[in-house]
Amino acid sequence: MRYSPRGPLRGPALLVAAAALTVVTACSNGSPSGAGSPSAAPTAPSRTGAAATTPAAPPTPSPTPTRTYPLSTAPRTVPAVRSHTPARGPGWKPAAAAGVVLGADSAGLADEARLLAGELGLRYRGEAAPGPGDVELSLGAGGAPESYALTVEDGRVRITGPDEAGVFYGTRTLKQSVRSGGGMPEGTVADRPAKPQRGLNVDIARKHFTAAWLEDRIREMGDLKLNQLGLHFSDDQGFRIESDSHPEVVSKQHLTKAEVRRILALAASRHVTVVPEIDSPGHLGAVIAAHPDLQLVSASGRTPRGAVDVSDPDAARIVDDLLREYAALFPGAYWHLGADEYVALMAKDPEASYPQLARAAREAYGPSGRVQDLATAWLNDRAATVRPTGKTLKAWNDGFFPGGVVSAAKDIEVEYWTGKEYGARPPLPYLQAGRRLVNLNDEYLYYVLGEPNDFTYPTGRRIYEQWTPLVVRGTAPVPARYDAQIQGARFAVWCDFSNAQTQDQVAAGIRLPLAALAQKVWDPRKPARTWPEFRALATKVRG
């Protein structure tokens, strides 16, 4: 502190000034009352006048204050990170001279590094020692699948994980933090998903979606750390992927195989697995349109739409041809066999309504054989066609029937969507039987175009505030002891009335529900943010 008199000092005033200077000098050299503190009491001048005759010591310069930082707070992302260890420091912001580099033995992360560099306006420099302001991506041993650690220290960012997917998710956290706050806070994030299967299911059979639309969803999913895109591409209304084995079944509007390969390449770069589905023995109307001889016929001559005669070997041959063809096209780890809503089993008395099926069941399985056994055998035979590829097999929950002579193969995962259809049971029997289950609860996770059959478009808020992966059917959760068997969840778009919305309206309608789902399958805890806070953040970080 410097004393600046307004004018020349003379006589007693000079004494007072000298005394005051002595007080200020003492305060700046360690007095309990800091310089300029209101609690610093002035020292009275000497009664003898000694203070006036003793030269005042020159003030000791105060040191330049050291910059201090408050403890950092967690980055603002969707989904929220599960753990952040705060630290004091300036954090990290993208700078023109900064780049993205790869650590040792991490060349496999080049795609992730190039993507991040382009998104943040940084340079990609390949394998190199990190410099000031750089982001380093590295593969390291240990850690759960898809986990990562992100550390901000000394003006640099380091993202490590046991696999490429984990490191990629770390780059999504960095990208979103920059979008929401301009940079990445100091400290360390340790993050991993609660569930291994997290995603979106799209009915592209009843409504044609363009390749570009699907690619946009994959980019959106990648940023939300979702890792599965289900494609239901065969149904009564259409068969939507080019076929070499049976081109006659393909609809006029469809994806070419070149478009599918482009979609698959983008999905791989975002660590999204595409799960294809050819639904059978129901929902095969597009195949039956080209092969009417496969149509199931009832005793009264009724021809239920989409149902093939499962006792007809030609029906099995054509479906197996298609399964082999597309299993080769899709390299992912999963295949969906469908198996839901087979109309023959929805009859009050299937054996009386479809005597040819009842006869075939008895011939194959003895006097106790029923139509449900024939349908279960169909499912098992289709599973046997795909199983040599090594893919994990899936089927809808109403394709599993209890109490029959034939049981569904043990390795087929249950995709649980309803308890309302014929044969569908509450979730517990499937879990008690030891089956793994993926949650597609039609109460919260079904976006059905046109809202038929009491469906209403689900909201992100309802998912965010009420649903968890344990809520498999309706609104009640299953016991927590089954949590490990529940592999995750997907949000599903079904196009019952295909013209009810355009594909752009669908994209807008599912945006917040998909973000809410992403939060709930990534972190099992109750979200810390309110819905309005989450909604605003989800809009801000959207890439």
Side-chain angles (χ1 to χ4, degrees):
M1 177 178 180
R2 182 176 301 165
Y3 186 80
S4 300
R6 294 178 182 274
L9 299 176
R10 294 182 179 86
L14 182 60
L15 295 175
V16 174
L21 181 59
T22 302
V23 172
V24 172
T25 302
C27 289
S28 68
N29 283 280
S31 169
S33 298
S37 169
S39 63
T43 304
S46 171
R47 291 177 183 270
T48 63
T53 59
T54 303
T60 302
S62 297
T64 302
T66 300
R67 177 179 292 181
T68 60
Y69 297 92
L71 278 175
S72 61
T73 57
R76 300 176 67 244
T77 62
V78 176
V81 301
R82 294 182 64 175
S83 172
H84 177 254
T85 303
R88 299 185 189 276
W92 177 91
K93 292 183 178 180
V100 181
V101 301
L102 301 178
D105 301 319
S106 299
L109 297 171
D111 288 346
E112 289 77 8
R114 288 190 179 94
L115 175 63
L116 181 67
E119 291 169 331
L120 299 184
L122 306 177
R123 293 177 296 168
Y124 169 64
R125 295 209 300 268
E127 287 195 33
D134 280 354
V135 178
E136 180 185 8
L137 308 184
S138 294
L139 291 171
E146 300 183 293
S147 66
Y148 69 93
L150 188 159
T151 299
V152 178
E153 188 178 29
D154 298 330
R156 298 173 184 167
V157 179
R158 188 164 191 261
I159 302 173
T160 61
D163 52 31
E164 293 178 16
V167 175
F168 172 71
Y169 295 143
T171 69
R172 301 304 88 191
T173 292
L174 181 60
K175 174 188 175 183
Q176 287 198 11
S177 184
V178 170
R179 284 185 175 272
S180 64
M184 186 74 195
E186 201 85 3
T188 299
V189 168
D191 209 7
R192 61 183 176 84
K195 295 297 180 183
Q197 298 187 44
R198 313 175 301 278
L200 170 67
N201 212 74
V202 183
D203 171 11
I204 66 171
R206 282 176 271 198
K207 181 179 181 68
H208 174 65
F209 289 90
T210 64
W213 188 91
L214 292 169
E215 289 166 344
D216 285 343
R217 302 291 73 71
I218 289 169
R219 295 184 185 96
E220 183 179 357
M221 291 170 63
D223 283 355
L224 293 172
K225 302 183 176 77
L226 298 173
N227 65 0
Q228 277 189 357
L229 173 63
L231 291 183
H232 175 92
F233 67 91
S234 171
D235 210 303
D236 299 339
Q237 294 83 352
F239 192 103
R240 301 292 182 178
I241 296 179
E242 175 187 1
S243 173
D244 298 317
S245 65
H246 289 281
E248 73 280 1
V249 306
V250 179
S251 302
K252 183 177 181 180
Q253 281 189 310
H254 64 271
L255 299 172
T256 67
K257 286 191 174 180
E259 288 176 317
V260 171
R261 291 187 182 100
R262 192 178 78 200
I263 290 167
L264 292 169
L266 177 65
S269 75
R270 299 307 200 269
H271 298 277
V272 172
T273 298
V274 178
V275 183
E277 179 193 356
I278 296 178
D279 201 350
S280 75
H283 296 282
L284 283 173
V287 173
I288 293 170
H291 297 276
D293 52 310
L294 305 182
Q295 172 69 58
L296 177 66
V297 181
S298 74
S300 64
R302 192 171 69 89
T303 55
R305 188 179 187 186
V308 297
D309 185 336
V310 292
S311 67
D312 186 344
D314 285 341
R317 177 183 58 79
I318 290 177
V319 171
D320 283 348
D321 287 346
L322 294 168
L323 290 174
R324 293 188 187 97
E325 177 180 2
Y326 293 106
L329 177 63
F330 290 92
Y334 301 92
W335 185 275
H336 203 309
L337 295 163
D340 65 313
E341 297 181 317
Y342 186 48
V343 176
L345 292 173
M346 298 168 73
K348 184 177 181 180
D349 185 344
E351 283 69 34
S353 297
Y354 298 95
Q356 77 276 28
L357 297 183
R359 185 167 51 254
R362 289 192 299 271
E363 289 174 357
Y365 307 111
S368 299
R370 293 181 290 166
V371 174
Q372 75 168 55
D373 296 309
L374 215 58
T376 301
W378 172 280
L379 172 63
N380 288 342
D381 288 346
R382 307 295 75 75
T385 297
V386 179
R387 191 175 287 112
T389 67
K391 299 180 189 298
T392 296
L393 303 168
K394 297 171 172 287
W396 298 113
N397 68 288
D398 53 326
F400 295 79
F401 301 98
V405 175
V406 183
S407 298
K410 293 293 186 182
D411 61 343
I412 303 176
E413 284 187 355
V414 177
E415 299 254 307
Y416 195 99
W417 71 281
T418 186
K420 303 169 186 174
E421 296 289 349
Y422 173 83
R425 292 163 287 157
L428 279 181
Y430 303 90
L431 296 168
Q432 290 166 343
R435 290 194 185 274
R436 298 195 304 177
L437 181 151
V438 177
N439 187 333
L440 290 97
N441 184 339
D442 63 352
E443 176 73 22
Y444 292 94
L445 307 179
Y446 260 39
Y447 192 95
V448 185
L449 297 196
E451 301 182 305
N453 302 322
D454 297 324
F455 283 110
T456 58
Y457 294 128
T459 66
R461 181 170 196 157
R462 192 158 180 254
I463 296 169
Y464 188 77
E465 294 180 343
Q466 300 178 20
W467 177 85
T468 75
L470 289 172
V471 180
V472 179
R473 177 189 178 187
T475 59
V478 300
R481 65 180 178 272
Y482 294 110
D483 182 66
Q485 284 175 245
I486 298 174
Q487 298 297 290
R490 291 199 308 279
F491 186 84
V493 176
W494 295 103
C495 302
D496 291 40
F497 291 92
S498 60
N499 294 325
Q501 290 188 342
T502 67
Q503 62 178 15
D504 289 340
Q505 288 173 322
V506 173
I510 70 174
R511 186 164 295 133
L512 286 174
L514 203 58
L517 175 85
Q519 175 63 45
K520 303 303 282 288
V521 291
W522 186 266
D523 190 339
R525 299 170 297 184
K526 182 179 179 180
R529 292 186 175 90
T530 65
W531 169 252
E533 291 169 341
F534 180 86
R535 180 181 57 197
L537 179 59
T539 300
K540 191 167 188 177
V541 301
R542 180 171 171 261

